[in-house]
Structure formats: C-alpha cells, structure tokens
Amino acid sequence: MRFVARQPILTGEEKVFGYELLFRDGIEDYFCPKDAEAASKIMLDSSLIMGLDVLCNGGRAFVNCTRDMLLKDYVTLLPSSQTVVEILESVEPDDLVMAACQRLKEGGNMIALDDFATGDQREPLTDIADIIMVDVRSTSPEERAVMVKRYGPWRCRMLAEKVEAREEFMAAKKAGFAYFQGYFFRRPETVKTYAVPGNQLNYIKMLQVVSKPELEPREIENAIKGEASLCYRLLRYMNSASFGFASEIHSVRHALSMLGEREVRRWVCLVVTLAAGQNQSSDLVLSALVRARFCELLSPKIKHGETDLFLLGLLSLGFHPGTSHDRRCWRRCRSIRKPRPYFWAGPARCAHSIS
C-alpha cells in the first residue's frame, strides 16, 4: 500500500491553485520524520504511481525536494507544466544546487522556497524562485512585511503557510501574500493506492543462481525473465548512454552476453540487494555497498578460493534475521552454496569461511 497526503494551496479568491504533496507511511494524518531523503523519494514514486491528475485535479503539484533529488533530477519524472519544485530549508545553495535549479527552471518547472525566513541561507535562490513560502506561526508581522516588500509581486509570489483562522488569512492577504495554505482551509488529506511488490522468492532464486561457481546462461536468463522489474531494469541499464551501443538491445539473452559473467553477478547482487532493502534504512543499504567495495579491493591481497568477496560484503547486511519475514528469507538463503556460505549471522559476527 502506498500513501500520499495532499493539502490545498489557494489564491486570494479562495480558489485552489495546487496541492502540496506530503509523504505518509500510513493512513494517519501525520508524518513521523525518520529519513527525509527516503521520504521524498518514496513520495515521488507514489506520485508517479497515482498520477498528478488524480492527486492534484489539474492544479500544480508542490513537491518537496532534498539536495539529492535536485542534483539527480528525480523531479523531472513529473510533468514540468504541473510541478512546483519545493526546495527544503535544509538545502544549501551551492553551485551544484544553483545549476540544478536553473535547469529545472529552464525546463518549465516553477521553483518554491519552503519555510523561508529572515537571514535564510537560500537567499541566492530568490533570484530564480517563483514562490516564497513563509510560515505565519514562526514569523512576526514585521518580518513578513519586510519579506513581502523585498521579494514581493515584482520578484516572487508570496505564500502564507499554516494559516489557521480567517483573521490570519485576511491579514496575510492585506500584507501582500498571493497564496495561502493551512488548517483554516483544509487539513492534509491522505490518498492511498496499491503498489505491486517485488517477489522476494525471485530475489532469493536470483542470488542462488549467481552464487554458483559455474554460471549457467540459460538459468540466469530464465530467473531474470521470471521477475518483470528485473527484466526491465536490465534492458534499461544496457541501453543507457553509459554503454553507447550502436544498436538497441531488445532481449535479456543479448544483454547478458554483452555484460559478461563477472558484471552479471555484480549487477544482480546490487539490484537484488537494493530491491530487498527498499523497506530498510538507506544507511543500512549504503553500509552493505561500502562493505562490498571494501571486500572487492581486499580480494587481491588475501587467499579466498572461489569465494566472491564483493558478494560477501554486499550480503553481509542484506538479510538480518530480525523479523519473521527476514527469518523466512534467512532459512532460504542458508541453502545458497552450502560448501562455502558467506552470509553473516548478524551485524557484528561473521560466519563465513574464506579458504
């Protein structure tokens, strides 16, 4: 199940201009902040699944963007004519961020600065911003008057956030604000939809196949074809600009032959680990990738037989038997390459053999 909350943003005539889209991890009308980066990406993915036509009814979509989302252009997956890129207060406006915002602006997106305040570090971004969002609960009337005078109609449109009474709405409107948002108009409404989950059993089968000493092309081909998301990812990856093949690759078999055995093993391990860890902390997945690279660099310096040290490091945190679901996966994983197991018994203890 996927959840997105939306809260309307209105004009001075109390007509809907758009909706701010907010991450939710359940049906409850609040968000417990754990990982802002992951929350923004999940919210974006959920918005793609649901569609802006459903979420925003033809209005603009205000999408929270972290630094990583800006630099990787994730938000460009949404139609620029409907999207307002909402830059969070934690984003430092360095050269890379400025360039990313300029690209988005030139691509037709509107730029908004969330929770803007006096002395804000994002001051350089006001030159390209279309909307400045000001919290009326954390700023004084004098501060708001100064910001409206400095950034007002001739530069940016001002948006008053957290308006909770008609008196506050009328005062903000009189002060020169053009857009308004808050509980006075409407609380965030949570919208839900169903997402197709990845098949965990297919992930296990993929790991079993690539862990064999001899990689059987037909077996790995059939395993990838059995999981539609992996099949799509492989063809998308092989046809990316990083390879620059003269002709497009249309089949899984062709892709595997071009990639080569070693890279097939690595690609499968990376994709499966990230997919299996999609409900885990991003720090946990990052730690697994760092360990994988460390073990790979270590491999020329130690005797390790046929053990793939990159796979050893990658899987060291991939399956930790904490929940009942993890324990089921763990029991299946323990059968992978029994003579030379290289799963860790936990985050701290190593239970593999390198000979």
Side-chain angles (χ1 to χ4, degrees), residues 12 145 148 160 166-178 180:
V148 169
R166 175 161 289 278
E167 293 75 16
E168 293 175 345
F169 166 55
M170 297 305 295
K173 184 177 178 180
K174 185 177 180 179
F177 283 83
F180 309 87

Side-chain angles (χ1 to χ4, degrees), residues 107-173:
N109 296 276
M110 296 182 71
I111 305 294
L113 304 180
D114 187 32
D115 286 334
F116 199 83
T118 303
D120 199 291
Q121 65 171 351
R122 295 166 296 171
E123 171 71 29
L125 289 171
T126 58
D127 291 333
I128 59 175
D130 299 284
I131 299 172
I132 291 180
M133 308 171 72
V134 179
D135 186 345
V136 300
R137 314 225 72 75
S138 62
T139 56
S140 66
E142 293 75 18
E143 289 175 326
R144 295 196 292 273
V146 170
M147 284 190 280
V148 169
K149 184 177 180 179
R150 183 170 183 179
Y151 307 112
W154 62 277
R155 288 182 64 182
C156 304
R157 279 161 283 183
M158 306 297 291
L159 189 157
E161 298 182 283
K162 297 185 180 177
V163 177
E164 297 185 1
R166 175 161 289 278
E167 293 75 16
E168 293 175 345
F169 166 55
M170 297 305 295
K173 184 177 178 180

Side-chain angles (χ1 to χ4, degrees), residues 214-230:
E214 297 293 332
L215 194 62
E216 177 57 44
R218 182 56 62 88
E219 188 177 10
I220 187 69
E221 178 186 351
N222 291 336
I224 291 177
K225 286 181 176 179
E227 180 59 48
S229 61
L230 293 177

Side-chain angles (χ1 to χ4, degrees), residues 199-216 219-227 230 261 263-277 288-289 292 306 308 310-320 325-326 328-338 340-344:
N199 190 322
Q200 295 292 330
L201 183 58
N202 282 345
Y203 296 155
I204 300 298
K205 290 179 179 177
M206 291 290 295
L207 289 175
Q208 288 177 326
V209 171
V210 299
S211 297
K212 294 179 179 179
E214 297 293 332
L215 194 62
E216 177 57 44
E219 188 177 10
I220 187 69
E221 178 186 351
N222 291 336
I224 291 177
K225 286 181 176 179
E227 180 59 48
L230 293 177
E261 180 177 320
E263 292 304 317
V264 166
R265 292 181 190 271
R266 295 187 61 183
W267 178 84
V268 168
C269 293
L270 281 168
V271 170
V272 169
T273 300
L274 290 172
L289 295 176
E306 297 178 353
D308 187 334
F310 179 86
L311 184 61
L312 165 65
L314 189 64
L315 299 180
S316 64
L317 290 175
F319 294 91
H320 180 230
H325 175 268
D326 290 336
R328 289 195 299 272
C329 288
W330 178 257
R331 284 194 292 270
R332 287 186 176 275
C333 289
R334 283 168 55 183
S335 68
I336 298 177
R337 201 175 174 184
K338 290 182 180 179
R340 206 176 288 277
Y342 33 71
F343 282 87
W344 291 38

Side-chain angles (χ1 to χ4, degrees), residues 273-334:
T273 300
L274 290 172
Q278 62 186 351
N279 294 323
Q280 304 295 328
S281 165
S282 58
D283 288 337
L284 186 66
V285 177
L286 178 60
S287 295
L289 295 176
V290 170
R291 289 188 179 196
R293 179 57 175 161
F294 171 78
C295 290
E296 182 184 40
L297 294 174
L298 193 64
S299 60
K301 302 181 183 299
I302 63 174
K303 295 181 179 180
H304 55 86
E306 297 178 353
T307 301
D308 187 334
L309 296 191
F310 179 86
L311 184 61
L312 165 65
L314 189 64
L315 299 180
S316 64
L317 290 175
F319 294 91
H320 180 230
T323 65
S324 59
H325 175 268
D326 290 336
R327 284 193 290 271
R328 289 195 299 272
C329 288
W330 178 257
R331 284 194 292 270
R332 287 186 176 275
C333 289
R334 283 168 55 183

Side-chain angles (χ1 to χ4, degrees), residues 5 7 12-13 24 39 44 57 127 165 200-201 218 231-232 240-241 265 276 308 314 349:
Q7 187 174 22
E13 292 74 35
R24 292 290 185 269
L44 177 61
N57 299 325
D127 291 333
Q200 295 292 330
L201 183 58
R218 182 56 62 88
C231 185
Y232 170 78
S240 65
R265 292 181 190 271
D308 187 334
L314 189 64
R349 287 195 316 278

Side-chain angles (χ1 to χ4, degrees), residues 63-78:
V63 180
N64 291 338
C65 286
T66 60
R67 173 186 172 83
D68 190 58
M69 285 184 66
L70 286 171
L71 298 188
K72 294 182 178 178
D73 290 332
Y74 287 148
V75 76
T76 58
L77 296 171
L78 298 172

